[in-house]
Amino acid sequence: MRIVVDLNRCLGYAQCVPLAPEVLQLQGEEALAYDPNPDDSQRQQVARAVASCPVQAIIAEMDPPADRTTK
Amino acid sequence: MTTAETAWTEAMRYENRHDPYRFFDELRKTPVVQVADKVYVVTGYRELLQLAHDPHVSSDISKSPISAQPAAHAQPDVGAEHMQAYGREPSLIVSDPARHDKQRRQVMRHFAPPHSPNVIPNMAADIQSLCDDSLDKIKANGGNVFDVVDDYAYPVPVAVICQILGVPLKDEPTFHGWIFDFMAGADMGPDAATEEGQARKQKGKESTAALTAYMADLIHGFLTEPKDNVLSKLVNDKDGPDGPMTPQEAAANAMLLLIAGHDSTVNTIAHCVLTLLRHPESIELLHERPELIPKAIEEVLRLQSAVQFFPSRSVTSDIEVGGTVIPAGSAVHLLYGAANRDPRRFPEPEKFDVQRTDNQHVGWGRGVHSCVGGPLARLEVNIALETFLRRVENPRLVVDPPPYRVNQVFRGPLHLEVEFDRITDQR
Amino acid sequence: MSTQSLVDELVKTFKAQGRIVIVGASLAGLRAAEALRDAGFTGSLTIIGDEVHEPYDRPPLSKQVLKGWVPAGNTKLPRMREVNADWRLGVAATALDRDNREVLLANGDKVPYDRLLIATGVRSRQWFNPEEAKLKGLFTLRTSDDAAELQAALKARPKRVLIVGAGFIGSEMASVCRDLGLDVTVAERSSAPLVGALGGVIGDIAAKMQRDAGVDLRTGVAVEALEGDADGHVRRAKLSDGTTLDVDVVVASLGSIRNIEWLDGAELATGFWGVACDAGCRAFDINGVVTDNIFVAGDIARAPHVLYEYQFMSIEHVDAAVLGARTAAHNMVNLGRARRPHLPLPQFWSGQFGVNIKGCGVCSFGDEIVFTQGSVEDLRFAAAFGKNGRIVGAITFNHGKWLEYYGAMIERSAPFPPPPPGYDQPANAEPMSARFPDPREPTGLPDVVLTGHDPTSRGAEFRPKSR
């Protein structure tokens, strides 16, 4: 899986962090840090975190598109 | 009465509780509009966002003209009961920065990142057990009908919040009654003016007082005997940069956390089941693709926002928004439920579309007051819905629309009867 | 056939049969490719990148990668969709032949195009002394390969890290060093960190923030020389204030250089500040005439912005790559009124020392600052920047939810100072000089630079004075 967070859009609501604690961390009160290439075992957590963002700042690629062979 | 005033009154009337939205649509013709003396409502999405981020919009109850109105008049929009419900000391929901920000930090320190990142994730297993136990009980009762609200949606969140906060679950039958009375007594609609409405209001006041006393007692107990829970840590914290809360502040916020910490979750679980059963093709979709469940929940919240508005806000100076000038000192209600159906923002706003793209709904609020309990609520609703879909076979609605609770702000079904073929065993 | 239907036919044919070449295979190149396919472009698409890696996310390199949480190679960007492109990775473009419409590659290949997107971005400015630049333990940070090396060096627990340059990236790296419990010195020529982008008033706050976190911050100081040991590993740094530091790791955070060298001779409006283009991402030629078939996006683009007196702006932040790429792609497959402008409200952020710094507008366009909300002492506040009585920028420290209120004011050129909020006014809420340094000074290069009205202006010389 691959994710990227648009940190311009992210306002630090942190609705996502507790839903995927191994992939998303809060540094201080508002700054988000994320693992861009989390393990597949995190699928459910990532799906929950993506849906939870009020400003839809998390972009996730759950499976590679057909034109790419690398994970 | 103007059209807006009529629409507002109808939207608040109990007989329309199951569907206030057609009146919101009427109101939205002017997205920011006056509906009573010194009261404006906002039903437009962009307008709501603008106000939710404007530091001239105050949540401080002492600044709101509503809290100043004598409660006895029971105008359709009086929300003073809500304000007084949370104890004499204003809780964070009815405070402004810097006090709001500090209280929010103090509260969140003990169950949220960065300081306590594991509290909520660690609840997942317990939440799953609670959901499974509820269904096991329903199965053991026999029959093929149950009330999603009383038998499934309610028991899980209340047990979870009690555990996190440190409120004894054994006292639940008592405080459940008090909370129910408070909710039923805080009527912002025309029914409040009736004799029955006045009686409800009085009962609500008494129950609120009882709940306030109960919470104050509980907190004082933690001062002498600290325990490993959020409320105890709140008043005993010596390590945090903001220090402990005073017992009075803690009691006020404890009431907020207890009520808000489960009531809206109950309503959300119930609305999820209701919405899915109204759209059976979506149930098939979610069975095939359970990874869409989180999106489905957000779409339910867009259509049936658990907190429709919170009547604490007012403006500290004239604000021009959506072609209207809200005069300084006016109350302003941000109608999240209405803004979430703004056709200018959401194409086909009435449509329940699990896969809706760009669903930036405002069901959890926006700005610094956005929902503190969001992650916990989502974890509960996700697990509750997954479990329901997995174990309840062929669910069908018995009554549509179901009877609704009285409260316009924390809006949800009173009962939601569902018929089913069978309940499968736990995994 | 009417002219309009001729144009429509042209667009339709191009979408089906045209050849598009994108030079630059990072965020901007990838998002442009996706946007082209979204727009219905089914012709041939070639993406050229000098790095061997497929497009990856850079911001984590100076934060979670350096900290050791995420491996340097694990920041690959998610794909929004298939792009079905011919990827030429690990080979640089070396020249542009506009007469024959071909891009020349380092391996001798020639790649023909009908329309071209330049998205070659920037590289790190290298250490100014070529001999010293060969020392082991001396790093710059731009690529994932850089990050892998630097992460390993930090993991080895050096006795002291020296970071030269306290811009956003240098400051983030200093923050990571402190998180790792490493001793770190930051040497900054200006009076304070972040001064180029945010001015001296914010810079002083940032300086205190660094020192409170245990950073040995030296301001008004340059690094004059680095010395190595017999193994060729850096061991000492000589500062312009006469002091010498024992250091094992040196990170040169001296700003970026736009990758324009490959465009020498192509007669485009290229210079120190990048490639000048119009607000529709179409490149200007050296005379200031818009080209028809060459587009620019990302860190390398320099375009006029109506909110800033039509001055050319070069923005080194994510939106330039994402939104600029999308607009460029859209305009590459459209003509006439169907084209769109790229007119973002610039936005930026930086996570450092436990603070989320978020800003919008072009703060360095302003000369005054006023604190509007919160507490400076607590590092939780909002502040606005003004010029000539209008708000032009805003900055928040752990106050990000308020930023869009200021963004809306900037977009409508609202008065400065803004009206005071209804609550939480800072102790000092009077406008004051923001104390921006002279942009011609060697450091203090903001990430958004206003570079004047002339598309070909080259700006000042930025090589450090020789001693």
Side-chain angles (χ1 to χ4, degrees), chain C residues 372-426:
Chain C
T372 51
Q373 289 176 253
S375 154
V376 171
E377 194 185 305
D378 290 348
L379 295 178
R380 295 184 190 108
F381 62 84
F385 291 82
K387 184 183 177 81
N388 297 338
R390 294 267 169 242
I391 178 174
V392 297
I395 188 81
T396 57
F397 272 45
N398 280 344
H399 245 52
K401 294 181 191 70
W402 296 106
L403 189 65
E404 61 191 82
Y405 167 72
Y406 298 95
M409 285 199 282
I410 293 165
E411 283 179 335
R412 53 176 205 271
S413 294
F416 175 93
Y423 37 79
D424 204 21
Q425 263 197 286

Side-chain angles (χ1 to χ4, degrees), chain C residues 1 34 99 104 156 176 198 205 217 241 256 273 281 317 337 341 345 349 364 367 378 387 418 421 425:
Chain C
M1 244 189 177
E34 292 165 350
D99 292 329
L104 278 53
V176 168
L198 302 176
I205 296 169
L217 174 65
D241 63 0
S256 327
W273 293 116
C281 310
H317 286 288
R337 299 278 295 181
L345 178 70
W349 52 270
S364 53
D367 35 44
D378 290 348
K387 184 183 177 81
Q425 263 197 286

Side-chain angles (χ1 to χ4, degrees), chain B residues 62-75:
Chain B
S62 67
K63 294 187 178 156
S64 167
I66 284 179
S67 69
Q69 283 174 12
H73 283 183
Q75 297 280 335

Side-chain angles (χ1 to χ4, degrees), chain A residues 9 11-22 24-31 43-57 62-63, chain B residues 45 53 104-105 112-114 117-118 120-121 124 291 294-295 298 357-361 364-368 370-376 378-379 382-383 386:
Chain A
R9 265 168 133 164
L11 300 180
Y13 283 112
Q15 298 292 296
C16 55
V17 177
L19 294 170
E22 291 176 58
L24 303 161
Q25 283 179 7
L26 208 56
Q27 327 254 272
E29 293 163 18
E30 269 186 25
R43 284 180 82 91
Q44 184 181 61
Q45 289 85 333
V46 169
R48 287 175 179 170
V50 170
S52 77
C53 179
V55 295
Q56 296 288 280
M62 304 300 271
D63 298 296
Chain B
Y45 181 87
H53 294 95
R104 195 175 164 114
R105 284 194 305 269
N118 297 318
I120 293 173
E291 73 271 15
K295 282 175 73 80
E298 298 302 325
T357 53
D358 197 27
N359 186 3
Q360 296 185 36
H361 71 87
W364 301 94
R366 287 293 180 93
V368 297
S370 72
C371 181
V372 152
L376 177 61
R378 283 189 187 82
L379 188 60
N382 265 283
I383 294 175
E386 279 161 24

